[in-house]
Amino acid sequence: MGIEVKYPFLFLLLIPAVIMVFLYIRNHRGKENGKFLIASLRLVIFSLLIFALTVPQFLLPIKGQTVVYLADRSASIGADEEALAWIENSSSHRKSEDQFAVAAFGKNVVLEQNLGRNLEAVTEFNGKAEDSQSNLEAGLQFAASLIPRDSSGRIVLMSDGNETAGKSLEAASVLKNRNIEIDHVTLRTAAGDDVSISDLKMPPSLYLGEEAPITIEVTSNTAKEADIRLSVNHKEVLKKTVQVNEGKNVYTFTHKADTAGLTVYKAEIAADQDAFSENNTLHSVVNVKGTPKVLIVQGEDAGDIANLLIGSGLETDTVLPEKLPTVLSGYLQYQSIIFNNVPATVISEHQMTLMEKAVKEFGTGFIMFGGEESFGLGGYFKTPIEKLLPVDMDIKGKKEMPSLGLVLVMDRSGSMAGNKIELAKEAAARSVELLREEDTLGFIAFDDRPWEILETKPLKDKKKAIEKIRSITPGGGTEIFTSLEQAYSELEELQLQRKHIILLTDGQSATNGDYELLIESGKEKNITLSTVALGQDADRGLLEDLAGMGSGRFYDVTDSSVIPSILSRETVMATRTYIEDNPFYPSVQPYPDWSSLFEKGVPEMNAYIAATAKPRAQVPLLSEKEDPVLSEWQYGMGRAAAFTSDSSGKWSGDWARWEKWPSFINQLVTKTLPQYESEPYRVAVENKDGNTVLSLESAASKSLPIEASIVSETGEQIETNIRLTAPGKYEAAMPESAGMFFLNIKQTDQNGNIQVHQTGFTIPYSEEYLQKGTNKEHLESLSKMTGGKELETGEEAFRPLKKPASTKQPISEWLLLAAFLIFFSEIAVRRFGLAALTSRILKKNRNKKEKPEAPMKIQNLKAYREKQSSSVQMPGKLQAGTSVKETTEKTKEKKKPNRPKPGAESPLKEREERMKRLLDAKNRKNK
């Protein structure tokens, strides 16, 4: 048992305390007999208080050892069995007072077994440790957190020593201060043949038609044949079988850059019996400069815009909406995107988000042309596409719309649980927002029977209606007919201009009913029906027939994310008032870029889709009702435009036969093309101290502030902070996950000129997937720093610590209590005179010790008695001739004190008289 203090420097307070006591003794010299006692008490009080302030603690030894087993479960480790067997063997040697815990780590750390004494070791790892990294630092910090605070212990690290993330040596220095030892057990690395692509080198920029040199570096731990493949924008352009030798292999190829824009090159290698597939692929992003390229997404019954752009010098690719890319790089290779009468019901929410990112973050242009399946009629209400366009799909003048009754019949069976029902509820909420308060809305959810969520009546409180819809939970089976019959019965007698039912289900009905009779009788009451089949299990045949009989539309949905667009479209279609089909001449607003095209007049237009211009949008063309026909605006880094009529001539009328129609389309597309610098920055990805860092270097060494936007291949925005590290050099911390990323840089100079640069880069796969062998040196460094060692047997894990564990028992409270008790004693000593009394007692005892009285020596006892008898007459023995009365009187006279007789002068008075006479005589003589 020992003692330690937390703040030993406070002992310096004893110096002023001693000085104060000394001054007290000096100032009370000769005044108080008990000053030394009081001074002693005060010195003790001061000492106790100062000792309490230093926070002293008794160190009480702890019986037993605390051991945390920390197992490496990253990809470089061969198997878990070796670590599990070692833990089981080691824990069997513990004593009854010993306790242990088990944790595992990869990129993250998981607890496999909590700290305890009476436990059996785990027989398998159940936690999900991501194996793409070996984060030793995180593992050590977590293991240390399991050891009680202010206590020592031991961590048994089982690993191959290859650290790919974190700084474990820094973590070990912290553990050393806590008296935690790190022992290590070396685990075998994953065995097997492995071939990997270690580097892919490409020029950062190329010109269209240039032969691009491509260097692929392959690393292998064995000699074998392998296939190398090279693809450009996900299209394979090269495949070659090569002989790979053990060690590093370098292969050089060439490819002609045949497409402009951001081009993604991907190198792959494939070999038999390959240990890791994760290290077989690398990407490189190249900016190919050349003719701008436009992606045209073509809907049904739409004009051929590609032909109109032939003479513009632009390259075009035309695709169906179902063939749109699902990754960001599929859009960044184009400088502008055109939607030509494309419905939102065939485009997933994810694809729309990718296009919105391409426009906002990378300056890609976007144009939407109208038609029967575009804008509000296409279901774009509250979608990412509506977000980037200069118009809202909602329209002004809703009071002029016909009265509408809408009933939503939605499946809530158990198969709808999860994402399906959440998207269906979100879709219904959007439909509610599109309606007016005087419109009639009903909502029926069904499983094996109908559940009326909203009574079919005028919509007065949208917020309350949306809350009820979002409160729906999944139920039981599926029974359609009864719910559909209830929806028809609620709409039949209502006096409304439009009555529409939307049925959504992902299953098959458990019962049959006379659907044809139900729907035909509903049509007599002006009720229409649209159906949505969601998923593979839906009864498509039945739902398609129902929509056909109900004069509505059938939607076959494989991606549930399009449900909101479908219900938005159906709600708009039910009103049939978004199409303005009265021929008119658009009015041209004073915008110089467009005015020159209309010097000879404006062609007549047949129809357009009503929309509302956003506040910041420019509107060069307006309809007679002041709705936007042509609108444009800047959205982030890109420019977007909306032409609410079509391109085929069905709606645009004389515009499609107008001589300047190709020039109009060409100018519209050209204005959306991005403006950016070719190659003002050099981009590199580095690994610094286990962290991935993006480095940017200005070619002109400019040190102006920049704005950077980084987006992953899947469209996820990467939050990062670009900081200036040196003149013209910038850095940004990146996530550790491998993948391809796209970078957009915006810089404003002193004159306000904006320069924009876009490029891409890749973060390669983790070094965890490289065959590195065992790093024993790193494991030994960790153990040596903390006083640990490499364990040969499991029994050594519970050996005594160099600095044994102990608990700390604070005693400050007891010292304060003692100080106060002595303080009250000191008050009692001073106030009640105990000091003087004590001082006299002590002084008397001291005098007795210093001057002892000598014993009376009597030489002759007989002489002593005679002497006494001669001086004192004992009673009963009278002298001869003396009576008792006389003897008594004589005795009384002896006892009386000597007092002057009355009238006799005292000796003092006589002396004063004598002195007076002497003075008088002296004075007479002097005269």
Side-chain angles (χ1 to χ4, degrees), residues 201-227:
K201 295 180 180 178
M202 293 282 301
S205 62
L206 295 169
Y207 288 95
L208 192 65
E210 181 181 354
E211 289 283 344
I214 304 170
T215 302
I216 301 175
E217 187 179 290
V218 177
T219 303
S220 176
N221 61 1
T222 185
K224 60 170 55 180
E225 280 191 351
D227 293 331

Side-chain angles (χ1 to χ4, degrees), residues 69-73 77 82-84 86-87 103 105 125 156-160 183-187 779:
Y69 297 100
L70 182 62
D72 189 345
R73 296 189 61 199
I77 300 300
E82 182 182 1
L84 288 168
W86 204 97
I87 293 172
F105 73 96
F125 292 125
V156 178
L157 174 61
M158 292 176 284
S159 173
D160 60 359
D183 292 343
H184 70 271
V185 177
T186 305
L187 297 182
L779 292 174

